[in-house]
Amino acid sequence: MPKFAANLSMMFNEWEFLDRFAAAADNGFAAVEFLFPYAHAPDEIARRLAASNLTQALFNLPPGDWDRGDRGMACQPERADEFRASVAQALPYASATGVRRLHLMSGHGDRRDAAALEAYKAAIRHACAAAAPLGIDILIEPINGRDMPGYFLNDFGFAAGLIAELDPPNLRLQYDIYHRQILHGDVMKSLEALMPVTGHVQVASVPRRHEPGTGELDDARIFRHLDELGYAGYVGCEYRPAAGTVAGLGWFRP
Protein backbone atom coordinates (compact mmCIF):
# COMPACT_ATOMS: atom_id res chain seq x y z
CA MET A 1 0.00 0.00 0.00
CA PRO A 2 1.18 3.57 -0.58
CA LYS A 3 2.16 5.96 2.17
CA PHE A 4 -0.80 8.13 3.20
CA ALA A 5 -0.84 11.72 4.45
CA ALA A 6 -3.86 13.00 6.37
CA ASN A 7 -5.20 16.25 4.97
CA LEU A 8 -5.72 18.36 8.08
CA SER A 9 -7.89 20.91 6.30
CA MET A 10 -10.54 18.26 5.68
CA MET A 11 -9.85 15.53 8.23
CA PHE A 12 -9.79 15.68 12.03
CA ASN A 13 -11.96 18.79 12.00
CA GLU A 14 -13.29 17.64 15.37
CA TRP A 15 -10.08 19.15 16.77
CA GLU A 16 -8.72 22.69 16.55
CA PHE A 17 -6.21 22.98 13.72
CA LEU A 18 -3.04 22.81 15.78
CA ASP A 19 -4.34 19.80 17.68
CA ARG A 20 -5.02 17.87 14.47
CA PHE A 21 -1.35 16.96 14.12
CA ALA A 22 -1.39 14.84 17.27
CA ALA A 23 -4.80 13.41 16.37
CA ALA A 24 -3.50 12.27 12.99
CA ALA A 25 -0.43 10.66 14.55
CA ASP A 26 -2.53 8.98 17.23
CA ASN A 27 -4.63 7.40 14.47
CA GLY A 28 -1.72 5.93 12.57
CA PHE A 29 -0.64 8.63 10.09
CA ALA A 30 3.05 9.36 9.67
CA ALA A 31 2.55 12.36 7.39
CA VAL A 32 0.15 15.26 6.95
CA GLU A 33 -0.77 17.87 4.39
CA PHE A 34 -3.17 20.80 4.46
CA LEU A 35 -4.27 23.72 2.35
CA PHE A 36 -2.63 26.64 4.16
CA PRO A 37 -0.53 27.14 7.30
CA TYR A 38 -0.45 30.95 7.21
CA ALA A 39 -2.75 31.63 10.17
CA HIS A 40 0.01 30.26 12.43
CA ALA A 41 3.71 30.98 12.82
CA PRO A 42 6.14 28.72 10.94
CA ASP A 43 7.84 27.64 14.16
CA GLU A 44 4.53 26.63 15.71
CA ILE A 45 3.70 24.39 12.75
CA ALA A 46 7.19 22.91 12.92
CA ARG A 47 6.81 22.27 16.65
CA ARG A 48 3.56 20.35 16.14
CA LEU A 49 5.13 18.24 13.42
CA ALA A 50 8.15 17.41 15.56
CA ALA A 51 6.07 16.65 18.66
CA SER A 52 4.12 14.00 16.74
CA ASN A 53 7.02 12.79 14.59
CA LEU A 54 5.17 13.71 11.40
CA THR A 55 6.39 14.48 7.90
CA GLN A 56 4.90 17.49 6.12
CA ALA A 57 4.01 16.15 2.68
CA LEU A 58 2.50 19.22 1.03
CA PHE A 59 0.81 22.57 1.43
CA ASN A 60 -0.34 25.33 -0.92
CA LEU A 61 1.14 28.69 -1.74
CA PRO A 62 -1.06 31.53 -0.44
CA PRO A 63 -4.20 31.76 -2.61
CA GLY A 64 -5.10 35.43 -2.19
CA ASP A 65 -8.28 36.15 -0.25
CA TRP A 66 -9.84 32.70 0.08
CA ASP A 67 -12.90 33.93 1.97
CA ARG A 68 -13.70 36.35 -0.85
CA GLY A 69 -13.41 33.66 -3.51
CA ASP A 70 -9.76 33.70 -4.55
CA ARG A 71 -8.37 30.32 -5.53
CA GLY A 72 -4.91 31.48 -6.39
CA MET A 73 -3.79 34.38 -8.57
CA ALA A 74 -1.07 32.98 -10.82
CA CYS A 75 -3.03 33.43 -14.07
CA GLN A 76 -4.09 37.01 -13.31
CA PRO A 77 -1.58 39.43 -14.90
CA GLU A 78 -2.57 42.37 -12.74
CA ARG A 79 -1.63 40.42 -9.61
CA ALA A 80 1.90 39.41 -10.59
CA ASP A 81 3.51 41.37 -7.75
CA GLU A 82 1.05 39.90 -5.25
CA PHE A 83 1.86 36.43 -6.52
CA ARG A 84 5.59 36.97 -6.08
CA ALA A 85 4.97 38.19 -2.54
CA SER A 86 2.95 35.04 -1.86
CA VAL A 87 5.90 32.86 -2.86
CA ALA A 88 8.13 34.82 -0.49
CA GLN A 89 5.56 34.32 2.28
CA ALA A 90 5.49 30.55 1.76
CA LEU A 91 9.21 29.87 1.78
CA PRO A 92 9.81 30.39 5.54
CA TYR A 93 7.05 27.85 6.20
CA ALA A 94 8.70 25.45 3.78
CA SER A 95 12.05 25.86 5.52
CA ALA A 96 10.55 25.40 8.99
CA THR A 97 8.50 22.31 8.11
CA GLY A 98 10.95 20.63 5.75
CA VAL A 99 8.23 20.21 3.12
CA ARG A 100 9.48 19.27 -0.34
CA ARG A 101 6.35 20.01 -2.38
CA LEU A 102 4.31 23.19 -2.72
CA HIS A 103 1.09 23.43 -4.70
CA LEU A 104 0.68 26.51 -6.88
CA MET A 105 -3.01 27.28 -7.45
CA SER A 106 -3.73 28.87 -10.82
CA GLY A 107 -6.69 31.02 -9.82
CA HIS A 108 -9.77 31.76 -11.88
CA GLY A 109 -9.28 32.59 -15.53
CA ASP A 110 -9.75 31.55 -19.14
CA ARG A 111 -7.06 29.43 -20.79
CA ARG A 112 -8.02 30.97 -24.16
CA ASP A 113 -6.86 34.35 -22.82
CA ALA A 114 -3.28 34.79 -24.02
CA ALA A 115 -2.44 37.27 -21.27
CA ALA A 116 -3.71 34.91 -18.58
CA LEU A 117 -1.71 32.03 -20.05
CA GLU A 118 1.49 34.05 -20.18
CA ALA A 119 0.95 35.28 -16.63
CA TYR A 120 0.49 31.69 -15.47
CA LYS A 121 3.66 30.54 -17.20
CA ALA A 122 5.62 33.43 -15.72
CA ALA A 123 4.29 32.65 -12.25
CA ILE A 124 5.30 29.01 -12.56
CA ARG A 125 8.79 29.95 -13.71
CA HIS A 126 9.18 32.37 -10.80
CA ALA A 127 7.95 29.88 -8.19
CA CYS A 128 10.18 27.10 -9.53
CA ALA A 129 13.24 29.37 -9.51
CA ALA A 130 12.50 30.54 -5.96
CA ALA A 131 11.90 27.02 -4.64
CA ALA A 132 14.78 25.25 -6.37
CA PRO A 133 17.54 26.34 -3.94
CA LEU A 134 15.54 24.76 -1.11
CA GLY A 135 15.13 21.47 -2.99
CA ILE A 136 11.38 22.03 -3.32
CA ASP A 137 9.13 20.93 -6.18
CA ILE A 138 6.33 23.17 -7.41
CA LEU A 139 3.15 21.26 -8.23
CA ILE A 140 0.25 22.21 -10.49
CA GLU A 141 -3.10 20.47 -10.10
CA PRO A 142 -6.03 20.33 -12.53
CA ILE A 143 -9.27 20.92 -10.59
CA ASN A 144 -12.74 20.11 -11.86
CA GLY A 145 -15.23 22.86 -12.61
CA ARG A 146 -18.02 21.33 -10.56
CA ASP A 147 -16.10 21.91 -7.34
CA MET A 148 -14.33 25.05 -8.49
CA PRO A 149 -16.15 26.79 -11.37
CA GLY A 150 -13.95 28.95 -13.56
CA TYR A 151 -10.65 27.51 -12.36
CA PHE A 152 -7.94 28.17 -14.94
CA LEU A 153 -6.17 24.79 -14.77
CA ASN A 154 -8.95 22.29 -15.47
CA ASP A 155 -7.38 19.78 -17.85
CA PHE A 156 -4.78 17.07 -17.21
CA GLY A 157 -3.51 17.01 -20.78
CA PHE A 158 -2.95 20.75 -20.74
CA ALA A 159 -1.10 20.48 -17.42
CA ALA A 160 1.18 17.74 -18.74
CA GLY A 161 1.87 19.75 -21.89
CA LEU A 162 2.74 22.80 -19.84
CA ILE A 163 5.19 20.83 -17.73
CA ALA A 164 6.85 19.56 -20.91
CA GLU A 165 6.95 23.03 -22.45
CA LEU A 166 8.34 24.91 -19.45
CA ASP A 167 10.59 22.03 -18.35
CA PRO A 168 12.06 23.27 -15.06
CA PRO A 169 13.39 20.23 -13.19
CA ASN A 170 11.26 20.98 -10.12
CA LEU A 171 7.86 21.38 -11.83
CA ARG A 172 5.59 18.38 -11.29
CA LEU A 173 1.96 17.31 -11.56
CA GLN A 174 -0.33 16.97 -8.57
CA TYR A 175 -2.53 14.06 -9.61
CA ASP A 176 -5.81 14.14 -7.70
CA ILE A 177 -7.76 10.95 -8.40
CA TYR A 178 -11.06 12.60 -7.49
CA HIS A 179 -10.56 15.51 -9.89
CA ARG A 180 -9.23 13.22 -12.62
CA GLN A 181 -12.30 10.98 -12.53
CA ILE A 182 -14.70 13.93 -12.73
CA LEU A 183 -12.75 15.70 -15.47
CA HIS A 184 -11.73 12.82 -17.73
CA GLY A 185 -12.13 9.37 -16.17
CA ASP A 186 -9.59 6.74 -17.30
CA VAL A 187 -7.73 6.87 -13.99
CA MET A 188 -5.66 3.68 -14.29
CA LYS A 189 -4.28 4.28 -17.77
CA SER A 190 -3.66 7.96 -17.14
CA LEU A 191 -1.69 7.16 -14.01
CA GLU A 192 0.58 5.01 -16.17
CA ALA A 193 0.98 7.79 -18.73
CA LEU A 194 1.45 10.63 -16.27
CA MET A 195 3.53 8.90 -13.59
CA PRO A 196 6.82 10.27 -15.03
CA VAL A 197 5.69 13.85 -14.30
CA THR A 198 3.67 13.17 -11.13
CA GLY A 199 5.05 14.54 -7.89
CA HIS A 200 2.10 13.97 -5.55
CA VAL A 201 -1.17 12.01 -5.55
CA GLN A 202 -4.40 12.77 -3.70
CA VAL A 203 -7.52 10.71 -3.20
CA ALA A 204 -11.19 11.01 -2.29
CA SER A 205 -14.16 8.92 -3.34
CA VAL A 206 -16.21 10.01 -6.35
CA PRO A 207 -18.74 11.60 -6.46
CA ARG A 208 -19.25 12.68 -2.83
CA ARG A 209 -15.62 13.25 -1.85
CA HIS A 210 -15.79 10.96 1.17
CA GLU A 211 -13.53 8.13 2.35
CA PRO A 212 -11.76 5.94 -0.23
CA GLY A 213 -13.78 2.87 -1.10
CA THR A 214 -17.18 4.54 -0.74
CA GLY A 215 -17.70 5.73 -4.32
CA GLU A 216 -17.70 4.60 -7.91
CA LEU A 217 -13.99 3.75 -8.16
CA ASP A 218 -12.12 0.73 -6.81
CA ASP A 219 -9.73 2.82 -4.73
CA ALA A 220 -7.98 -0.21 -3.23
CA ARG A 221 -7.15 -1.42 -6.75
CA ILE A 222 -5.86 2.04 -7.65
CA PHE A 223 -3.60 1.98 -4.58
CA ARG A 224 -2.21 -1.39 -5.68
CA HIS A 225 -1.65 0.05 -9.15
CA LEU A 226 0.34 2.93 -7.67
CA ASP A 227 2.56 0.35 -5.99
CA GLU A 228 2.91 -1.51 -9.29
CA LEU A 229 3.95 1.70 -11.00
CA GLY A 230 6.63 2.30 -8.39
CA TYR A 231 5.09 5.45 -6.94
CA ALA A 232 7.07 6.18 -3.77
CA GLY A 233 5.49 9.47 -2.70
CA TYR A 234 2.60 10.18 -0.39
CA VAL A 235 -1.07 9.87 -1.22
CA GLY A 236 -2.84 12.82 0.35
CA CYS A 237 -6.23 11.98 1.87
CA GLU A 238 -8.07 15.07 0.69
CA TYR A 239 -11.56 13.87 1.57
CA ARG A 240 -14.43 14.97 3.78
CA PRO A 241 -15.27 12.29 6.34
CA ALA A 242 -18.87 11.17 5.94
CA ALA A 243 -19.60 10.67 9.64
CA GLY A 244 -16.56 11.60 11.71
CA THR A 245 -12.88 11.24 10.91
CA VAL A 246 -11.97 8.40 13.25
CA ALA A 247 -15.16 6.47 12.56
CA GLY A 248 -14.34 6.52 8.85
CA LEU A 249 -10.78 5.22 9.04
CA GLY A 250 -11.67 1.56 8.45
CA TRP A 251 -10.26 1.80 4.92
CA PHE A 252 -6.92 2.88 6.43
CA ARG A 253 -6.77 -0.04 8.87
CA PRO A 254 -7.29 -3.15 6.72
Side-chain angles (χ1 to χ4, degrees):
M1 291 288 279
K3 302 179 297 182
F4 293 100
N7 188 298
L8 301 185
S9 297
M10 292 190 174
M11 301 173 67
F12 299 101
N13 281 196
E14 300 89 344
W15 286 261
E16 293 297 323
F17 179 76
L18 290 175
D19 295 329
R20 294 174 197 171
F21 294 83
D26 290 345
N27 281 278
F29 287 94
V32 296
E33 63 177 40
F34 40 71
L35 295 181
F36 312 111
Y38 309 109
H40 306 279
D43 290 348
E44 181 61 25
I45 301 292
R47 188 174 72 81
R48 299 291 175 141
L49 289 165
S52 295
N53 196 28
L54 290 166
T55 296
Q56 183 72 49
L58 174 82
F59 60 83
N60 294 356
L61 296 174
D65 192 335
W66 186 269
D67 292 337
R68 296 185 65 179
D70 281 344
R71 296 297 182 265
M73 66 198 92
C75 73
Q76 298 165 8
E78 70 280 6
R79 301 179 73 179
D81 290 344
E82 186 180 354
F83 174 79
R84 288 172 176 258
S86 79
V87 175
Q89 181 183 1
L91 293 182
Y93 286 87
S95 295
T97 62
V99 74
R100 289 293 174 262
R101 291 168 183 83
L102 296 174
H103 172 212
L104 186 165
M105 300 190 75
S106 70
H108 295 108
D110 185 344
R111 285 194 287 112
R112 297 169 296 183
D113 181 339
L117 179 56
E118 287 308 310
Y120 187 49
K121 291 178 181 179
I124 291 171
R125 291 189 187 100
H126 173 78
C128 287
L134 297 176
I136 292 171
D137 289 342
I138 296 296
L139 308 183
I140 57 173
E141 176 191 24
I143 296 178
N144 79 81
R146 187 168 74 201
D147 283 62
M148 205 169 285
Y151 194 70
F152 182 85
L153 185 58
N154 59 3
D155 183 274
F156 274 72
F158 177 80
L162 198 60
I163 291 169
E165 175 190 345
L166 298 178
D167 199 32
N170 63 330
L171 176 61
R172 310 284 286 170
L173 177 70
Q174 186 164 311
Y175 188 113
D176 189 301
I177 293 165
Y178 168 81
H179 291 304
R180 172 72 199 196
Q181 175 66 4
I182 294 171
L183 282 167
H184 310 295
D186 201 24
V187 168
M188 300 287 271
K189 293 298 290 184
S190 71
L191 276 171
E192 295 174 13
L194 295 172
M195 189 53 58
V197 298
T198 295
H200 187 64
V201 175
Q202 291 178 322
V203 68
S205 68
V206 183
R208 300 189 184 280
R209 208 169 190 176
H210 293 324
E211 287 84 351
T214 62
E216 66 194 33
L217 295 177
D218 185 346
D219 292 307
R221 178 68 190 91
I222 293 171
F223 296 152
R224 292 195 297 272
H225 195 46
L226 286 170
D227 288 341
E228 293 162 2
L229 293 172
Y231 177 69
Y234 289 99
V235 174
C237 303
E238 195 179 47
Y239 67 81
R240 300 184 184 95
T245 303
V246 176
L249 287 177
W251 70 271
F252 181 62
R253 301 191 182 107

